[in-house]
Amino acid sequence: MKPMFRRFALGLSAMAALLTASSALAQDKQVNLGVAIPTATHGFTGGIVWWANEAKKELEKQHPGLKITVKTAANSSEQANQLQDLLTVNKINTLVVFPFESAALTRPVAQVKGKGVYVTVVDRGLTDTNAQDAYVAGDNTAFGRIPAEYLVKRLNGRGNIVALRGIATTIDNERMDAFKAVLKNHPDINLLDARYANWNRDDAFKVMQDYLTRFKHIDAVWAADDDMAVGVLKAIEQSKRTDIQEVFGGAGSKGMVKMILDGKNKLVQADVSYSPKFIYDAIKLTAEARLKGEVLPPKTIIPSVLITKENAQQFYFPNSPF
Amino acid sequence: MPPEPTDSLRPGATALGASDGTPLHRVRALLHGFGPLLGLIVLCIAGTALNGDFATLDNVMNVLTRTAFIGIIAVGMCFVIISGGIDLSVGSMAALIAGVMILLMNRLAPSLSSPTSVIALGIGFALLLGALFGLVHGLLIARGGIEPFIVTLGTLGIFRAYLTYFADGGAITLDSDLSDAYGPVYYASFLLPVPVWVFLAVALGGGLILNRTAYGRYVQAIGSNEQVARYAAVDVNRIKVLTYVLLGVCVGIATVLYVPRLGSSSPTTGLLWELEAIAAVIVGGTALKGGSGTITGTVVGAVLLSVISNILNLTSVISVYLNSAVQGFVIIGVAFMQRRRKGAS
């Protein structure tokens, strides 16, 4: 794992490069861009699909030489088929792919790249980075580190925390490791337990109910996802427990951001951004670079930021489904 | 084709036209419930030993309340499986009914002054929609002659896709005023929480229909041997359609209880509920190929499945990575005990 500051710096410099680059107007190349993403099965992927279509709408209007085709797949093999279709039917020369699974999609993506297509991989990486030209992702380390730092501060370095995890995946491990790494420096903070609730409201409700039965005193909950936070809040409300001071979700869904803006629920004061908007950013970065015949830096990390009442407005997208 | 044995020769099957409620039948029903019941008792002892809070009233109520959804669906599923059918779509169906019901209530809220009438209309609509979906399944299966596996595999995708479409890929959320008014349907408690009462009522009703009515006997007869049932002048198609309608209504009832819990429906709502409901029925001693089964067993099976995940959440003995494995082992173990029990009877 690279030090996160370096990743941040890379991300920021990439964005800066983009800002200066996009002001130049030389556009002579035709870009036929294919987008392969997972279909909308939960809030986050719903957001991915919405932002991909927003990118198509806005960027095609801005750039006459740009054509974008969006394909959504329900599983890895469907996505692999779609990659072939994009190549042979749609004749793409640029690909932005959010792989359904890292290992399974590596070979199909490599094949597309082998045919001379410029490939940007988003979020879920490939197992062999030779299969990609560029990688754009959210910052999973910050996703775990920021809530840990926030909760430590909020509890003045002393208290009991329970955590909920998503589905057993590498990004979930990355987040959890980053969370634990911060807590290691604060021995008076107890992480009582961390259970999988599958990024699902219903499962989170059950897991939280069981935590409330099992632990007589809980100071804060790291729900690790805004969908799961909804289930956690309901379970706390039902139990009428008053020991819990803070529920920290994650990803910056519009419901949570609204809750922070309104300040109606005192348990929810902050969130960390991990917006599905990064698919929009990835498409925009790739399209604009290719239109000018340039390449992206090998790795661009879209920073995850602490969302509080002060800055929540800039993370509030009421039209997005997420 | 060799002649099928008549159902009266099959162990555990109810003979066509035999009078139910005889002492022999009751003993058999008890024996059927024995495997899962034994499993449940063992689990409860283990749970109490591992964590003293397991046996507290609050925890027991939590477990029973969360079992209510799957349990109610499993009661309906029990009828379908006994008749020799299957329904893979119940999870998607519940999610779609929840979504459409919330949309309707949100739409009605401004025009109707009292939230109670909005909620009453929503509930009525959910039950009706469940019955309607069940009717479509039943007609396609019984009159259309398509395998139940195929029909419900198709609707599994259709229901969830429409929910995703209506939800625009996100979540459909109930207005907060309505949510407050509707909340008690899940959260209120009269000695027992409301969902537990509803679950008990559905189970009792299901048991009565299965064991005390002609319809219940026909369901068992069809599952045992459809040809024989036809020769015995049972209107097989009508009975089959009715089992799916019954299941649809059960899904509707479960949804009515589900919506006030989180007040929203998203494309992950009800994911894998079909497998949980089928597992509850099978663990409860109903044969997957149909013919025989009990509602008591199904209820015990549903509670047993919830208890496993509850115990796993209350203890840290086993790695969280292995949770699903533990559930799998218990399901297979209980089904194995069940098989032995049947062989002995």
Side-chain angles (χ1 to χ4, degrees):
Chain A
M1 174 75 35
K2 284 181 184 174
M4 62 194 117
F5 290 111
R6 214 168 118 205
R7 292 173 66 184
F8 259 112
L10 262 177
L12 290 175
S13 61
M15 290 187 97
L18 167 88
L19 285 174
T20 46
S22 60
S23 58
L25 283 166
Q27 289 176 359
D28 42 19
K29 224 170 160 260
Q30 285 288 319
V31 170
N32 187 354
L33 190 147
V35 179
I37 49 179
T39 193
T41 52
H42 60 277
F44 184 77
T45 43
I48 292 280
V49 175
W50 191 82
W51 278 111
N53 285 311
E54 282 295 292
K56 175 181 164 68
K57 231 175 12 198
E58 288 178 17
L59 297 173
E60 279 187 346
K61 207 184 294 168
Q62 286 169 23
H63 307 283
L66 178 68
K67 183 173 177 300
I68 298 179
T69 314
V70 179
K71 297 257 187 198
T72 63
N75 55 54
S76 295
S77 67
E78 191 182 343
Q79 193 170 49
N81 291 342
Q82 287 175 351
L83 290 178
Q84 284 179 333
D85 289 348
L86 282 169
L87 193 64
T88 54
V89 182
N90 303 92
K91 309 222 178 331
I92 56 164
N93 55 21
T94 309
L95 172 71
V96 174
V97 57
F98 186 119
F100 210 95
E101 286 170 326
S102 305
L105 265 305
T106 298
R107 200 158 262 285
V109 172
Q111 249 168 7
V112 173
K113 185 174 179 245
K115 296 272 158 68
V117 173
Y118 184 87
V119 175
T120 300
V121 173
V122 184
D123 194 44
R124 300 179 194 166
L126 299 175
T127 45
D128 178 5
T129 48
N130 286 325
Q132 71 200 23
D133 291 290
Y135 178 64
V136 177
D139 191 339
N140 284 297
T141 308
F143 190 99
R145 177 179 49 81
I146 288 172
E149 287 169 351
Y150 175 85
L151 290 176
V152 165
K153 209 168 134 197
R154 181 90 158 79
L155 301 179
N156 295 322
R158 177 181 292 278
N160 294 334
I161 298 179
V162 290
L164 285 85
R165 307 187 60 166
I167 294 172
T169 47
T170 49
I171 59 167
D172 188 69
N173 292 341
E174 213 175 303
R175 293 168 178 184
M176 194 71 218
D177 291 345
F179 188 82
K180 280 183 181 160
V182 174
L183 295 196
K184 216 163 65 186
N185 303 325
H186 300 274
D188 290 336
I189 297 266
N190 276 329
L191 180 60
L192 297 171
D193 200 4
R195 293 270 158 185
Y196 289 103
N198 308 318
W199 289 315
N200 178 305
R201 295 173 191 213
D202 294 321
D203 292 354
F205 180 83
K206 288 181 210 169
V207 168
M208 193 61 210
Q209 268 193 337
D210 292 339
Y211 277 155
L212 291 167
T213 304
R214 191 172 152 196
F215 302 114
K216 294 295 162 244
H217 187 92
I218 300 170
D219 293 297
V221 183
W222 181 41
D225 176 73
D226 290 341
D227 262 343
M228 294 201 286
V230 173
V232 167
L233 288 171
K234 279 286 177 188
I236 295 173
E237 196 183 304
Q238 184 206 17
S239 74
K240 302 193 171 63
R241 286 264 293 258
T242 51
D243 48 337
I244 296 138
Q245 303 166 38
E246 181 92 27
V247 173
F248 198 108
S253 74
K254 65 175 174 187
M256 272 306 150
V257 175
K258 186 87 189 352
M259 209 181 269
I260 293 167
L261 271 175
D262 295 348
K264 276 190 188 146
N265 193 331
K266 69 176 174 51
L267 290 178
V268 181
Q269 303 284 340
D271 201 350
V272 58
S273 70
Y274 193 82
S275 170
K277 185 169 181 284
F278 63 50
I279 190 78
Y280 176 97
D281 296 333
I283 296 170
K284 190 174 155 80
L285 288 168
T286 309
E288 290 178 345
R290 295 311 292 159
L291 282 165
K292 289 193 294 288
E294 291 167 0
V295 296
L296 289 179
K299 198 166 190 176
T300 309
I301 300 296
I302 310 287
S304 286
V305 187
L306 183 69
I307 304 174
T308 57
K309 197 164 183 173
E310 284 70 49
N311 64 352
Q313 194 60 49
Q314 68 194 83
F315 294 93
Y316 186 52
F317 307 106
N319 292 328
S320 160
F322 183 67
Chain B
M1 207 166 83
E4 289 267 313
T6 61
D7 41 322
S8 57
L9 291 176
R10 284 195 184 174
T14 313
L16 184 63
S19 69
D20 281 317
T22 59
L24 185 68
H25 181 83
R26 282 196 197 139
V27 170
R28 258 190 203 156
L30 267 179
L31 283 178
H32 265 287
F34 191 67
L37 200 58
L38 191 71
L40 184 58
I41 292 167
V42 169
L43 269 177
C44 287
I45 293 169
T48 315
L50 288 167
N51 189 317
D53 288 323
F54 173 78
T56 56
L57 187 68
D58 278 348
N59 190 51
V60 172
M61 284 308 136
N62 279 349
V63 171
L64 287 178
T65 312
R66 70 177 69 154
T67 311
F69 312 124
I70 296 297
I72 289 168
I73 295 174
V75 168
M77 186 69 83
C78 189
F79 279 84
V80 167
I81 292 181
I82 290 176
S83 79
I86 193 93
D87 190 335
L88 301 177
S89 74
V90 289
S92 308
M93 194 198 287
L96 179 59
I97 295 175
V100 177
M101 177 187 179
I102 292 170
L103 285 178
L104 178 85
M105 289 194 289
N106 285 349
R107 190 71 52 86
L108 287 176
S111 50
L112 289 171
S113 52
S114 93
T116 321
S117 52
V118 174
I119 290 162
L121 279 171
I123 290 175
F125 178 74
L127 300 180
L128 196 72
L129 201 59
L132 192 74
F133 286 152
L135 183 69
V136 171
H137 280 159
L139 289 176
L140 284 170
I141 291 160
R143 307 239 181 244
I146 314 173
E147 284 291 325
F149 190 94
I150 302 299
V151 170
T152 56
L153 186 64
T155 51
L156 170 134
I158 295 171
F159 293 148
R160 197 165 291 283
Y162 271 97
L163 171 68
T164 311
Y165 172 73
F166 289 137
D168 204 4
I172 303 177
T173 309
L174 191 61
D175 282 348
S176 61
D177 289 347
L178 280 175
S179 216
D180 294 341
Y182 197 171
V185 172
Y186 180 84
Y187 292 106
S189 182
F190 307 96
L191 288 175
L192 298 175
V194 176
V196 178
W197 283 117
V198 178
F199 181 24
L200 280 176
V202 169
L204 207 64
L208 286 176
I209 293 174
L210 187 63
N211 296 318
R212 300 291 166 94
T213 64
Y215 169 76
R217 280 200 301 280
Y218 293 153
V219 169
Q220 303 185 43
I222 291 172
S224 197
N225 191 325
E226 196 175 321
Q227 282 306 325
V228 172
R230 270 184 213 278
Y231 292 144
V234 173
D235 188 347
V236 171
N237 285 355
R238 197 176 61 92
I239 302 290
K240 272 194 183 174
V241 171
L242 273 177
T243 59
Y244 288 96
V245 172
L246 205 65
L247 174 55
V249 172
C250 286
V251 174
I253 296 171
T255 311
V256 164
L257 295 175
Y258 172 82
V259 169
R261 177 156 105 180
L262 297 175
S264 82
S265 178
S266 73
T268 45
T269 300
L271 222 50
L272 296 184
W273 280 11
E274 56 280 345
L275 290 186
E276 286 182 48
I278 293 169
V281 174
I282 301 304
V283 164
T286 300
L288 190 54
K289 61 180 189 296
S292 68
T294 64
I295 299 294
T296 326
T298 301
V299 170
V300 173
V303 174
L304 187 130
L305 294 180
S306 303
V307 166
I308 303 170
S309 62
N310 179 240
I311 291 177
L312 291 172
N313 277 337
L314 289 182
T315 55
S316 314
V317 181
I318 296 158
S319 160
V320 283
Y321 292 111
L322 287 173
N323 278 4
S324 306
V326 173
Q327 290 175 326
F329 284 128
V330 175
I331 290 172
I332 294 171
V334 170
F336 187 71
M337 285 202 280
Q338 193 63 26
R339 187 197 67 99
R340 301 263 303 250
R341 200 29 65 181
K342 256 190 217 162
S345 72

